[in-house]
């Protein structure tokens, strides 16, 4: 076909903020799940789905006191020609039952308090579209934090105001600094707070969150992202607190403790008024029938027991990493908290007893050597605020932790023995930036 002239110019037709958008990079862009790698980079649940499965992968069925303890998982294949329930009332009821602990209020969550979406990411974006005017409003984030808040802001043509966490105090929230920013700039409509933080693993204190909620003049939304809340001490979730604070939204997911990242199911707890707005603007059938069926099964009593048993195994291996990693020459301090299924740890340019300091150059070498030579994939986070020289390591199974400890000890020894001076240059800087940009 002969070429012909066209007035179409993609660079001028597309929105400028979308043209400028850098491609989203996730954990599997660099190192694939090919069955040979140990993947400790995306904070997935290494022990698998929180479902009572038989050896063949089918959901086991049983009964306790005459009731279905492990709900039979049925995906109606013949019904896949029909659209799913747009409202998901049964799923919402079960999520409310899970979080109605009454540790923080005597009030109870109801299905009217819920929005469910494709992972937490749909809720992040929906909140921006609901409350922020493109090209005018702003959001506030507290770095180091989850990268999707800023990505979604750019997609929606919103500016990001940053109030860093307190790097000298385990990455604690700085409510006074946040409130000052909110008082100064009324165009900030949403504050995103991650608790436990990613990559900090630090649980935000209830009192610090309350200080932001009690701002005397600011008219906006506080979003608490509790993706990792089930790895924190029991009773830590503030989901039910949305019944007390009309501008609080609490996001959660089944991707982490429940081990169901593959079904992409997230939830946002909010006042009925906010939940109604989010449900009004979503696509009508955003949760598929298979996703709904699996999520409902996962919230049955017998499968919740499996989830909690897997969580206990993760916490056991987390304690093991906390004890064993510091014994390796060149491993520095753990930064942040210990409230998640990952740890943030410093990598030093030489052993501590020889005056070692956190080093991005060495951390990047360790990250690359582990992944490319040892088949152990962790996450480089050295370019984040307060995270110089840091790797974020997801807690794996006992066997995976064995492998990690063995290989990182060897890699650290090889680097320190063969290292004279690490030459920093622009290529090294670009490799660090690229490794750090992965969002997970």
């Amino acid at each position: 076909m002969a070429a012909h002239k066209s007035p179409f110019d993609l660079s001028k037709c597309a929105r400028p903020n979308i043209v400028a958008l850098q491609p989203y990079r996730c954990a599997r862009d660099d190192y694939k799940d090919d069955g040979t790698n140990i993947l400790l980079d995306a904070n997935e649940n290494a022990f698998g789905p929180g479902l009572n499965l038989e050896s063949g992968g089918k959901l086991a069925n049983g009964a306790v006191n005459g009731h279905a303890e492990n709900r039979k998982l049925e995906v109606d294949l013949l019904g896949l020609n029909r659209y799913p329930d747009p409202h998901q009332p049964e799923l919402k009821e079960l999520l409310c039952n899970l979080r109605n602990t009454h540790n923080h209020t005597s009030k109870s969550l109801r299905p009217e308090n819920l929005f469910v979406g494709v992972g937490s990411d749909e809720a992040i974006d929906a909140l921006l579209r609901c409350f922020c005017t493109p090209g005018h409003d702003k959001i506030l984030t507290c770095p180091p934090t989850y990268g999707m808040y800023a990505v979604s802001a750019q997609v929606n043509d919103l500016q990001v105001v940053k109030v860093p966490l307190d790097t000298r105090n385990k990455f604690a929230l700085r409510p006074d600094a946040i409130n000052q920013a909110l008082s100064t700039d009324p165009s900030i409509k949403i504050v995103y707070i991650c608790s436990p933080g990613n990559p900090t693993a630090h649980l935000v204190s209830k009192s610090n969150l309350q200080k932001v909620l009690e701002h005397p003049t600011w008219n906006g939304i506080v979003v608490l992202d509790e993706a990792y809340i089930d790895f924190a001490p029991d009773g830590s979730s503030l989901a039910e607190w949305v019944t007390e604070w009309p501008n609080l939204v609490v996001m959660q997911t089944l991707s982490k403790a429940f081990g169901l990242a593959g079904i992409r199911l997230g939830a946002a707890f909010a006042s009925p008024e906010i939940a109604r707005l989010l449900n009004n603007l979503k696509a009508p059938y955003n949760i598929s029938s298979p996703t709904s069926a699996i999520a409902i099964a996962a919230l049955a009593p017998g499968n919740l027991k499996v989830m909690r048993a897997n969580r206990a195994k993760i916490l056991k291996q987390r304690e093991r990493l906390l004890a064993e990693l510091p014994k390796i020459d060149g491993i520095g301090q753990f930064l942040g908290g210990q409230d998640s299924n990952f740890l943030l740890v410093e990598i030093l340019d030489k052993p501590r007893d020889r005056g070692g300091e956190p080093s991005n150059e060495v951390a990047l070498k360790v990250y690359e050597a582990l992944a490319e030579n040892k088949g152990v994939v962790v996450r480089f986070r050295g370019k984040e605020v307060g995270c110089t020289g840091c790797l974020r390591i997801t807690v794996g199974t006992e066997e995976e932790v064995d492998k990690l400890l063995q290989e990182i000890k060897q890699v650290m020894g090889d680097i320190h023995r063969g290292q004279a001076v690490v030459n920093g240059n622009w290529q090294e800087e670009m490799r660090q930036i690229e490794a750090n940009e992965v969002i997970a």
Side-chain angles (χ1 to χ4, degrees):
M1 181 177 177
H4 60 276
K5 293 184 65 176
S6 170
F8 177 68
D9 184 341
L10 178 64
S11 66
K12 295 179 181 178
C13 185
R15 289 163 50 192
N17 62 301
I18 301 300
V19 172
L21 189 67
Q22 292 299 310
Y24 177 97
R25 293 183 62 235
C26 66
R28 292 302 144 253
D29 284 335
D30 288 353
Y31 300 104
K32 305 299 182 186
D33 183 7
D34 60 1
T36 64
N37 289 324
I38 293 176
L39 304 175
L40 305 178
D41 61 332
N43 299 340
E44 296 156 322
N45 190 323
F47 289 90
L51 300 170
N52 189 11
L53 301 175
E54 297 174 345
S55 57
K58 293 183 178 180
L59 197 70
N61 294 309
V64 174
N65 298 327
H67 298 286
E69 177 78 353
N70 301 303
R71 179 191 178 109
K72 186 177 180 182
L73 174 55
E74 293 183 342
V75 177
D76 181 9
L77 298 180
L78 292 176
L80 291 179
N81 61 317
R82 302 299 181 189
Y83 289 112
D85 188 322
H87 306 298
Q88 300 294 330
E90 183 180 6
L91 174 58
K92 290 178 179 178
E93 186 73 44
L94 290 170
L95 288 167
C96 289
N97 292 344
L98 180 69
R99 299 308 181 191
N100 275 330
T101 62
H102 299 123
N103 288 320
H104 307 285
T105 178
S106 60
K107 299 177 182 178
S108 294
L109 292 161
R110 300 177 56 81
E112 299 83 59
N113 291 106
L114 264 176
F115 165 85
V116 289
V118 182
S120 297
D121 294 340
E122 183 175 357
I124 292 169
D125 181 72
L127 286 160
L128 296 178
R129 290 187 290 122
C130 188
F131 291 103
C132 299
T133 302
H136 178 267
D137 289 332
K138 303 172 185 176
I139 69 168
L140 186 148
T141 66
C142 301
T145 193
Y146 182 43
M148 273 306 297
Y149 311 141
V151 171
S152 292
Q154 186 173 358
V155 168
N156 287 280
D157 197 16
L158 304 169
Q159 294 184 45
V160 180
V161 175
K162 299 178 181 180
V163 177
L165 299 171
D166 188 348
T167 58
R168 295 171 295 181
N169 184 25
K170 294 186 177 181
F171 295 102
L173 197 70
R174 298 166 57 219
D176 294 339
I178 292 172
N179 284 345
Q180 182 177 3
L182 299 181
S183 296
T184 302
D185 191 347
S187 66
I188 299 172
K189 290 294 184 66
I190 300 179
V191 175
Y192 282 101
I193 299 170
C194 197
S195 178
N198 177 11
T200 67
H202 180 78
L203 188 70
V204 171
S205 76
K206 184 177 176 181
S207 59
N208 278 345
L209 178 67
Q210 184 166 340
K211 287 181 182 178
V212 180
L213 290 167
E214 290 176 338
H215 192 290
T217 60
W218 178 63
N219 183 25
I221 305 296
V222 177
V223 181
L224 189 67
D225 187 346
E226 289 190 342
Y228 300 96
I229 197 63
D230 290 300
F231 301 108
D234 287 343
S236 295
S237 174
L238 295 175
E240 63 187 7
W241 228 21
V242 303
T243 62
E244 299 286 353
W245 299 95
N247 64 328
L248 175 64
V249 176
V250 177
M251 300 190 304
Q252 295 185 356
T253 178
L254 297 191
S255 296
K256 307 301 180 183
F258 283 84
L260 293 172
I263 72 170
R264 307 301 300 124
L265 194 285
F269 297 87
S271 68
E273 293 78 14
I274 290 178
R276 188 178 305 116
L277 291 178
L278 296 176
N279 285 308
N280 286 346
L281 65 80
K282 75 175 181 66
Y285 309 109
N286 62 329
I287 304 300
S288 72
S289 298
T291 290
S292 177
I294 294 169
I296 288 171
L299 293 165
N303 292 319
L304 286 174
K305 287 183 180 178
V306 175
M307 180 275 284
R308 288 164 180 150
N310 286 344
R311 176 183 62 186
K313 295 174 186 176
I314 290 171
L315 299 187
K316 181 179 180 180
Q317 294 306 312
R318 186 177 72 187
E319 291 304 311
R320 188 169 163 227
L321 284 172
L322 287 166
E324 296 298 326
L325 271 175
K327 297 177 183 178
I328 298 172
D329 282 345
I331 298 292
Q333 300 180 78
F334 292 103
L335 301 187
Q338 301 168 10
D339 299 311
S340 195
N341 68 331
F342 58 86
L343 294 167
L344 187 66
V345 63
E346 293 176 329
I347 302 298
L348 310 180
D349 56 4
K350 52 190 172 185
R352 267 182 298 188
D353 58 6
R354 291 168 45 200
E357 296 290 338
S359 167
N360 275 352
E361 291 87 352
V362 177
L364 185 66
K365 283 187 175 184
V366 173
Y367 160 68
E368 292 176 338
L370 283 173
E372 295 170 12
N373 302 331
K374 306 296 185 180
V376 179
V377 187
V378 297
R379 179 58 53 217
F380 175 78
R381 279 293 173 254
K383 304 301 285 187
E384 302 285 343
V385 175
C387 297
T388 299
C390 282
L391 298 179
R392 192 196 68 194
I393 302 174
T394 304
V395 179
T397 64
E398 181 176 0
E399 295 75 18
E400 289 172 337
V401 171
D402 286 342
K403 178 74 169 175
L404 168 71
L405 291 170
Q406 172 189 328
E407 300 297 0
I408 199 170
K409 181 177 182 179
Q410 181 176 338
V411 167
M412 294 294 299
D414 290 346
I415 289 174
H416 288 149
R417 281 190 296 271
Q419 177 187 340
V421 177
V422 178
N423 295 316
N425 53 44
W426 71 269
Q427 292 170 321
E428 172 77 18
E429 178 72 11
M430 290 306 297
R431 284 167 54 227
Q432 290 179 25
I433 292 172
E434 185 174 314
N436 195 83
E437 281 180 344
V438 175
I439 298 174

